[in-house]
Amino acid sequence: MTRVLRDDIVLGRRLPGARLVERDIAADLDVSRLPVREAIRALISEGIVVSRPRSWATVREFTLQDIRDYAEVRSAIETQLFLFATLRHDERGLAGLRDILEREERAARAGDIPESRAASGAFHEYMVLLAGNEMFVELASIFATRLKWVFGLHGELESMAADHRVLYDAIASRDIELVTELVTRHLAAGTAAAEARFLGVVVG
């Protein structure tokens, strides 16, 4: 249940400010209210749902400063993850990353927005596995949902998949300098796009 509601929020099916009414969600999903209540509590702890006293829980409405704060955290953590992944990956790990990339490319070509976004997020999350550092697993788990939510609602499906293809090739080649350049540019573009979405600006 938590995964279902999380995916609804992260993939944009439940928008910021949307009310999460236990009885309505339970009826829609044909479950009791207890698992819905527990899922809402879990998502409050993950920072993407807000509990309002004597009212409904709602999907968190983030601010421009939130985006910039998250971007700083994302840059610090993900840049290191990509670099460690480049240095430490093995053939099996690289094959797993390639599978995710190909899934994203297929979804992008088909115009399947939820699947393409999910695979795009999985591409970034997979760096934790390739980096081979348990402390990064812990750190990433704290921020993963919020970062995926803020930066994952892109509409440029094929462009994003193309960026990931170039990153994959550089990682496979263990080209640290190129990966550093690419990931810096990639994350900066993601921040700019998230800010533009927040401000209602159409970006080309």
Side-chain angles (χ1 to χ4, degrees):
M1 178 55 59
T2 301
R3 181 184 59 78
V4 170
L5 284 182
R6 183 191 295 114
D7 286 351
D8 278 352
I9 294 169
V10 168
L11 297 176
R13 291 190 286 261
R14 294 183 188 271
L15 299 176
R19 297 193 310 175
L20 301 176
V21 184
E22 287 179 16
R23 67 169 179 272
D24 292 347
I25 295 170
D28 288 343
L29 300 176
D30 195 25
V31 297
S32 71
R33 291 176 63 170
L34 180 58
V36 175
R37 184 176 305 128
E38 291 174 347
I40 289 172
R41 286 175 181 161
L43 297 180
I44 289 170
S45 72
E46 292 182 16
I48 63 171
V49 169
V50 177
S51 176
R52 304 196 182 281
R54 296 180 296 280
S55 183
W56 313 112
T58 61
V59 177
R60 180 175 177 175
E61 297 181 84
F62 52 85
T63 66
L64 188 58
Q65 189 58 50
D66 286 333
I67 294 173
R68 290 169 177 166
D69 289 347
Y70 294 162
E72 289 180 356
V73 171
R74 185 190 194 202
S75 178
I77 293 177
E78 285 206 55
T79 299
Q80 282 302 126
L81 280 173
F82 271 87
L83 295 182
F84 284 137
T86 301
L87 290 170
R88 298 173 179 173
H89 72 264
D90 58 20
E91 286 305 311
R92 182 177 178 182
L94 194 63
L97 184 63
R98 185 170 59 249
D99 288 345
I100 293 169
L101 173 61
E102 291 173 352
R103 174 184 147 208
E104 181 184 4
E105 289 173 333
R106 286 193 300 271
R109 286 194 298 270
D112 186 339
I113 294 174
E115 175 65 7
S116 181
R117 286 174 174 173
S120 176
F123 183 90
H124 283 254
E125 290 170 4
Y126 198 78
M127 296 305 150
V128 176
L129 178 62
L130 294 185
N133 183 312
E134 287 300 318
M135 184 58 69
F136 268 123
V137 174
E138 238 179 274
L139 287 172
S141 68
I142 296 170
F143 304 109
T145 300
R146 275 174 283 180
L147 294 180
K148 189 160 55 172
W149 178 46
V150 172
F151 299 106
L153 296 179
H154 62 275
E156 311 81 16
L157 307 183
E158 294 198 53
S159 174
M160 184 66 69
D163 278 1
H164 286 165
R165 170 60 69 176
V166 175
L167 270 165
Y168 169 84
D169 290 341
I171 291 167
S173 300
R174 300 191 193 275
D175 190 333
I176 285 291
E177 288 188 13
L178 182 56
V179 169
T180 302
E181 177 188 336
L182 291 173
V183 77
T184 299
R185 191 165 55 207
H186 184 63
L187 296 180
T191 299
E195 290 185 2
R197 284 194 300 275
F198 178 84
L199 296 170
V201 177
V202 177
V203 292

